[in-house]
């Protein structure tokens, strides 16, 4: 795979996968990006005058000092130097008087770090390289310094070199030198910066850090625990700053946001990380539409300028409609192929299994129409659809999965259903407030979290038929992935107590501070959290969220570079009054 | 204590402690703050048209909707409404047709949350309040809505009401409504935002999040441990992103920063927090002076505009000079009273104890001259100095402490030595690379951390007399507090291995990933970390870092609001393969 890191500091255009040669950034040092945005100084405070990637014909004749990695050397005459910003060709001097410079540049192994000083000159006619942003010039070197020599690498720093993910994670510091990771991390930094500008500078939000050493929340079975120096007392790493942001509203902070580190211990789950980041937002005196407009503006403002602009407002769909038409609460609305209820067509059918289905309470017959399916799908495709349906039989999400499966099949046959350049945002609203518990459907559990406010039109059901109550929760869906969710919260202590104690049967003692806070002049409030890792994954088109995180854990939760988690000598556990309960042999066998 | 939250969104001027009445922010809604900075929209997306604090004569005749807390009510005619932005007077309607509005506004308890709509009118002549930014106008209310009623509070939300810190922390959400906490948190958010603008937008730094679930570092005895689901395997919460930021430089990221959450388990220490925040920075191809210029520019750029501007460059002092002249490595340079070596005056003394002192190896006699001390200090002051000296006898930091003690005494007598409006920055440089271990002076330990590069002029001592080697470490000191520290790092794997294994006798296996990274083309690099909590404490003049943190822990490490850390049922520890080692009775007694 080849990439171009073009205009990273201007238009943030993304690496295209089509270019057939490694092309680095074109970059102009003009001071003004747009009417307001200055291009950052990339060589302030350091031992270079310029970056490798920025040099152009306009620099001809300038004396420059560059620092970078040796990417490539040819015939001991040409050397290509690389920094984060691009590549530049350096001419190794051949005359006797420069023997020491030649020696340094010819003997240094690839990926060694050097500093060179010299003059920017034109390439001889015919030797320009139009595929290289610096391809019109080269550097006539006068002095060179070996800053660090490189040993034999476990893999080459070239994007076309295929590496296993385990190898990439083990040598993450080498993997980060590649164009795609540089692009992903820099784009992430810049999008978050623009989100901050929108929230802080345009709308007066206050960036407030909340603690991560907190206390177990009710039902917080996925929270990491941290022993304290008091025997038997533990902190927990919270799954979100939910309680704190509500308490900030009670504290009159009015508009809070935080790029918040959150923690969730889900064991081994692919494409999940034990720590992750969310754009966490809460506002007082707000309703659902207010939060939605805020987020639409936020994404519009921070969206990379080389993509199609984000169109607002986003369409909205009820939970019921999403389930009925797409078989999921996170529909991919880039394509149609909706689920259609065709029960009426079969009211008088004599086909036995259809009769059976319709005779059941709420029994229906539903279908997905695959446009030109006859033309594109082969017999074995139909077979695989049939098998897929049989494998997922009796799962209520079957039709939603089947729709995506059919889309995969069509795309494998060359039909473009889901344009990768298309970003299709959708609000899903009017979720149920409670779901019946899977293990005991007589009892209810909260659909999202216990602080979600009931829908005002359904509040009368709460005390009689709580399962009928819809909530003021909203999810933000992008291309079939949930990238955010939030709600208007309960600000009435009595209502909160009723839902916790009577409906959910939770131990209210664990939340007594929050209940008390609601009694002391809590304003109406609501908020949302956007999953930053998932969002960046979709924006960059990365195959995994590990590609938009500098140092991710493997899907077993390991840091393959440093080998974390690791053993700790028992004496270092002593101050925390804990000891390891080693599993017995039989338990170990059961685990593995 | 009374405060004014004046022009928070314009000039960030601080609450003055001299004003004798609670005065809220003056605020103008002009769109442009300076040539570049827009004033944020504070009422976008929500159920109000304006904030309480912004209304002026220029709003006369406007129909407004306000949301806020009932601060005060007089004669059932006047009501003062408060939001984060200020106070405004509301006229309760007295005519029969508005009986329901009157009932709401007259019956709601103090600190209840209400929404009112009405017209901005002039106050009658003579009733203007020049001490109140909104004092020329009042609101003629048409409709009112009780959004939430407030129960009896544990303390009044008035800054002159004295509260114990324990009470403040227990009801933090009420404490946050006060002017000073609102000011501190908002100033913090805005200073950090300006730092981000300087780093990201002006100098091309990349904001990169690094993991907090990491592995124990050598000698990391103060790191919290987190059990994983693998028996006997633990993550650790790192004290800083030190290793990650160096690995990012090896990864070619070139300029990194992060507002990083860090963790340190120091048990009970006053004015420390188990989790704290640092502005964490690392650059490639940089030398000490480069980092220093960067930081000087950062503080100058982000400094609140109503303070005296930060003057750069900051003065610099060697560690040796700081110890000799101030008796500490973090001198308060707002005042003189330096320590002077007067040994030569006593070479021929016949006073026994002075003779004794001078006859010892490196024996010296030193003095502090207190200007006009005779005039200001009383006999009992002299007595207390004498006692202080005796109490701290034989501590090498005695003279430094004595200097501060004398400054306290002089200030108690009315001499202004340390102007609270003065911010005196200082670089302290040329620290020793190693110190002899306290428990065994034959062995060396690192003065800061093992990745600090030796001073180039002293490198020849490293293999023979390492205790003589100075380092490339630098501390940033403000008014006698260390607010930051950093160094140029070792980028040579062999040198790093020698220092770890031979000089420090650490287990290099724990750092094999870092040593390997240095071998694979690590650029020269260096960095710094600024302690944000301490810095904000000095900028706001807060008595404790707990006053610049939204939800701090008590100095025992407790969250007094939620009661963290807390007990956890043994079955919830099972997945983590740990159990509590309950101390025996005799151990418990020893602890308490």
């Amino acid at each position: 795979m080849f990439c171009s890191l073009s205009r990273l500091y201007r238009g943030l255009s993304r690496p295209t996968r089509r270019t057939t040669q490694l092309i680095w950034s074109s970059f102009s040092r003009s001071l003004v990006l747009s009417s307001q945005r200055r291009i950052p100084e990339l060589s302030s405070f350091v031992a270079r005058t310029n970056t490798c990637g920025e040099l152009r014909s306009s620099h001809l004749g300038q004396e420059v000092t560059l620092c970078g990695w040796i990417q490539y050397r040819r015939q001991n005459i040409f050397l290509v130097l690389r920094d984060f910003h691009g590549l530049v060709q350096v001419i190794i001097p051949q005359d006797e008087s420069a023997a020491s410079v030649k020696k340094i540049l010819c003997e240094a192994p690839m990926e060694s770090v050097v500093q060179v000083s010299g003059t920017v000159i034109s390439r001889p006619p015919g030797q320009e390289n139009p595929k290289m942003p610096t391809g019109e010039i080269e550097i006539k070197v006068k002095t060179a310094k070996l800053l660090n020599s490189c040993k034999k690498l476990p893999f080459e720093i070239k994007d076309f070199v295929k590496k296993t993910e385990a190898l990439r994670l083990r040598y993450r510091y080498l993997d980060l030198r590649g164009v795609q990771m540089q692009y992903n991390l820099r784009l992430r930094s810049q999008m978050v910066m623009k989100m901050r500008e929108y929230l802080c500078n345009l709308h007066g939000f206050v960036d407030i850090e909340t603690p991560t050493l907190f206390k177990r929340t009710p039902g917080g079975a996925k929270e990491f625990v941290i022993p304290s120096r008091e025997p038997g007392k533990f902190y927990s790493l919270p799954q979100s700053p939910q309680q704190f942001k509500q308490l900030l509203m009670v504290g009159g902070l009015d508009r809070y946001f935080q790029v918040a580190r959150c923690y969730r211990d889900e064991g081994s789950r692919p494409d999940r990380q034990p720590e992750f980041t969310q754009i966490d937002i809460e506002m007082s005196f707000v309703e659902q539409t207010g939060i939605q407009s805020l987020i639409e503006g936020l994404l519009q403002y921070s969206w990379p300028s080389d993509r199609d602009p984000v169109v607002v407002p986003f369409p909205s769909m009820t939970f019921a409609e999403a389930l009925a038409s797409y078989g999921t609460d996170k529909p991919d609305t880039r394509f149609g192929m909706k689920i259609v209820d065709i029960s009426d067509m079969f009211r008088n059918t004599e086909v036995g299994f259809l009769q059976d289905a319709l005779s059941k309470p709420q029994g229906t017959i539903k279908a997905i129409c695959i446009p030109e399916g006859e033309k594109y799908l082969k017999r074995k495709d139909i077979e695989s659809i049939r098998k897929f349906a049989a494998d997922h039989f009796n799962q209520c999400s079957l039709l939603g999965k089947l729709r995506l499966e059919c889309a995969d099949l069509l795309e494998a046959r060359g039909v473009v259903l889901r344009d990768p350049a298309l970003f299709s945002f959708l609000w899903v609203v009017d979720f149920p407030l409670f779901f019946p518990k899977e293990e005991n459907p007589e009892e209810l559990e909260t659909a999202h979290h216990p602080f979600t406010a009931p829908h005002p039109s359904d509040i009368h059901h709460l005390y009689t038929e709580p399962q009928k109550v819809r909530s003021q929760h909203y999810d933000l869906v992008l291309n079939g992935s949930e990238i955010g969710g939030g709600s208007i919260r309960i600000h009435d202590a009595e209502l909160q107590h009723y839902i916790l104690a009577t409906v959910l049967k939770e131990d209210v003692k664990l939340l007594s501070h929050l209940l008390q806070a609601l009694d002391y002049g809590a304003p109406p409030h609501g908020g949302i959290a956007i999953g930053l890792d998932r969002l960046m994954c979709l924006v960059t088109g990365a195959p995994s969220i590990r590609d938009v995180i500098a140092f991710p854990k493997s899907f077993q939760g390991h840091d393959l570079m440093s080998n974390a988690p690791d053993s700790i000598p028992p004496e270092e556990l002593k101050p925390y009054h804990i000891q390891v309960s080693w599993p017995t042999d039989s338990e170990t066998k059961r685990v593995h």
Side-chain angles (χ1 to χ4, degrees), chain A:
Chain A
M1 191 189 72
F2 299 89
C3 299
S4 105
L5 186 67
S6 90
R7 280 170 291 145
L8 191 59
Y9 280 94
R10 263 207 325 217
L12 279 170
S13 67
R14 78 200 113 163
T16 64
R17 284 144 201 257
R18 283 174 221 130
T19 40
T20 52
Q21 195 183 333
L22 184 79
I23 300 174
W24 284 81
S25 152
S26 74
F27 176 89
S28 97
R29 189 160 266 281
S30 62
L31 272 172
V32 176
L33 172 65
S34 71
S35 56
Q36 298 212 312
R37 190 160 287 269
R38 272 178 59 186
I39 288 196
E41 288 285 335
L42 297 175
S43 298
S44 45
F45 311 116
V46 291
R48 64 175 174 248
T49 59
N50 296 77
T51 61
C52 297
E54 71 175 305
L55 297 173
R56 297 287 182 280
S57 291
S58 58
H59 296 87
L60 282 179
Q62 286 189 17
E63 299 293 314
V64 297
T65 298
L66 307 174
C67 297
W69 285 259
I70 298 179
Q71 171 89 358
Y72 181 73
R73 186 166 44 218
R74 187 154 47 96
Q75 298 161 331
N76 285 349
I77 296 174
F78 301 105
L79 182 149
V80 173
L81 196 64
R82 186 196 74 232
D83 64 14
F84 71 96
H85 200 220
L87 303 171
V88 71
Q89 180 162 287
V90 164
I91 306 299
I92 304 173
Q94 303 295 323
D95 45 317
E96 196 53 45
S97 66
S100 66
V101 174
K102 183 175 181 182
K103 188 173 151 67
I104 287 170
L105 295 180
C106 292
E107 290 182 1
M110 290 300 102
E111 289 299 316
S112 292
V113 189
V114 294
Q115 185 187 50
V116 297
S117 293
T119 315
V120 182
I121 58 171
S122 291
R123 295 201 187 184
Q127 291 190 27
E128 302 91 348
N129 181 349
K131 289 186 181 155
M132 194 173 175
T134 64
E136 292 187 348
I137 59 97
E138 55 195 15
I139 310 298
K140 192 177 171 209
V141 166
K142 291 189 188 119
T143 62
K145 204 165 150 187
L146 178 66
L147 298 176
N148 212 351
S149 184
C150 182
K151 292 214 171 142
K152 174 103 184 67
L153 294 178
F155 53 81
E156 279 188 272
I157 313 297
K158 295 200 169 101
D159 288 273
F160 60 84
V161 176
K162 288 258 179 267
K163 297 139 285 206
T164 63
E165 190 173 53
L167 200 65
R168 287 179 58 200
L169 291 179
R170 183 163 166 207
Y171 298 101
R172 188 59 160 183
Y173 45 88
L174 296 179
D175 190 45
L176 291 176
R177 288 188 198 158
V179 178
Q180 191 70 53
M181 280 307 303
Q182 289 273 333
Y183 175 81
N184 291 356
L185 294 182
R186 285 165 193 275
L187 182 66
R188 179 177 175 134
S189 166
Q190 289 177 51
M191 270 188 77
V192 171
M193 187 64 198
K194 295 206 78 177
M195 290 183 186
R196 291 178 179 282
E197 288 171 10
Y198 175 86
L199 291 167
C200 267
N201 297 349
L202 302 190
H203 293 289
F205 279 74
V206 191
D207 179 5
I208 300 176
E209 300 162 68
T210 58
T212 55
L213 296 177
F214 192 44
K215 130 183 187 154
R216 206 123 171 110
T217 44
K222 289 171 176 174
E223 288 173 1
F224 287 102
V225 297
I226 305 172
S228 75
R229 287 176 189 253
E230 288 172 65
K233 297 286 176 99
F234 292 80
Y235 297 106
S236 288
L237 292 173
Q239 293 183 50
S240 88
Q242 184 62 36
Q243 289 186 50
F244 288 112
K245 66 179 181 171
Q246 293 194 236
L247 291 166
L248 286 171
M249 294 306 105
V250 182
L253 265 304
D254 199 65
R255 300 176 164 221
Y256 144 92
F257 90 101
Q258 183 181 196
V259 181
R261 191 69 59 91
C262 303
Y263 301 85
R264 195 176 298 155
D265 178 20
E266 301 191 286
S268 301
R269 288 273 297 269
D271 232 26
R272 292 281 180 121
Q273 289 285 311
E275 50 187 319
F276 57 97
T277 304
Q278 64 189 34
I279 311 290
D280 198 50
I281 289 173
E282 196 80 7
M283 293 173 89
S284 294
F285 310 112
V286 73
E287 294 184 352
Q288 180 163 323
T289 52
I291 297 283
Q292 288 174 338
S293 303
L294 171 82
I295 294 301
E296 288 161 359
L298 176 80
L299 287 164
Q300 198 172 41
Y301 185 86
S302 60
W303 205 246
S305 55
D306 69 333
R307 310 293 205 286
D308 289 341
V310 170
V311 179
V312 303
F314 301 157
S316 186
M317 189 183 289
T318 66
F319 171 79
E321 188 188 343
L323 277 200
S325 299
Y326 296 91
T328 173
D329 60 359
K330 31 182 186 288
D332 188 338
T333 47
R334 283 176 299 177
F335 68 104
M337 286 170 49
K338 291 191 198 178
I339 299 163
V340 188
D341 190 325
I342 51 168
S343 308
D344 284 348
M345 293 167 64
F346 291 92
R347 287 285 167 224
N348 302 316
T349 187
E350 289 178 8
V351 183
F353 77 97
L354 294 177
Q355 272 184 341
D356 263 16
L358 285 174
S359 67
K360 287 186 180 147
Q362 296 169 352
T364 54
I365 300 170
K366 293 185 172 182
I368 296 170
C369 174
I370 302 177
E372 298 191 276
E374 207 181 350
K375 175 171 160 196
Y376 291 110
L377 296 187
K378 309 241 147 85
R379 175 187 296 267
K380 73 168 186 187
D381 295 333
I382 309 289
E383 260 323 298
S384 90
I385 292 172
R386 205 190 302 272
K387 182 169 184 316
F388 187 93
D391 289 350
H392 295 77
F393 187 68
N394 252 346
Q395 291 179 11
C396 65
S397 56
L398 166 62
L399 283 168
K401 286 177 179 159
L402 206 57
R403 175 174 171 268
L404 295 177
E405 177 73 11
C406 294
D408 286 347
L409 287 170
L410 278 177
E411 290 190 337
R413 302 284 168 225
V415 185
V416 179
L417 273 186
R418 294 167 290 195
D419 177 359
L422 195 69
F423 290 93
S424 187
F425 290 96
L426 174 75
W427 291 110
V428 179
V429 300
D430 291 356
F431 282 81
L433 186 54
F434 309 108
F435 284 128
K437 279 190 187 170
E438 229 172 276
E439 65 278 17
N440 178 7
E442 293 297 295
E443 290 182 10
L444 294 177
E445 63 186 357
T446 173
H448 292 95
H449 61 59
F451 315 117
T452 310
H455 199 294
S457 336
D458 294 354
I459 195 97
H460 58 285
H461 288 310
L462 187 63
Y463 303 91
T464 49
E465 298 174 285
Q467 70 282 2
K468 282 197 178 167
V469 178
R470 288 167 303 162
S471 73
Q472 295 192 63
H473 178 94
Y474 30 86
D475 264 357
L476 181 59
V477 173
L478 171 57
N479 294 356
S481 286
E482 181 200 323
I483 59 161
S487 59
I488 302 302
R489 327 295 184 187
I490 297 166
H491 64 273
D492 180 272
E494 223 170 291
L495 176 62
Q496 183 68 77
H497 190 278
Y498 178 81
I499 285 179
L500 282 170
T502 309
V503 182
L504 298 173
K505 298 179 174 50
E506 292 281 3
D507 178 1
V508 291
K509 276 205 303 290
L510 284 170
L511 287 170
S512 57
H513 53 285
L514 190 79
L515 286 165
Q516 199 165 36
L518 296 184
D519 255 340
Y520 289 154
H525 60 287
I528 194 166
I530 304 289
L532 183 62
D533 306 301
R534 176 76 47 209
L535 174 65
M536 289 312 306
C537 198
L538 292 167
V539 171
T540 59
S544 151
I545 58 167
R546 289 185 292 280
D547 290 317
V548 296
I549 296 172
F551 298 101
K553 302 281 190 295
S554 76
F555 80 91
Q556 291 90 351
H558 290 184
D559 178 332
L560 299 183
M561 186 179 63
S562 73
N563 189 33
D566 204 358
S567 310
I568 285 193
E571 66 270 20
E572 294 196 19
L573 298 177
K574 250 191 174 165
Y576 298 109
H577 309 281
I578 57 166
Q579 53 183 298
V580 177
S581 326
W582 293 101
T584 60
D585 278 1
S586 60
E587 281 174 335
T588 312
K589 269 175 206 143
R590 239 186 304 137
V591 171
H592 292 285

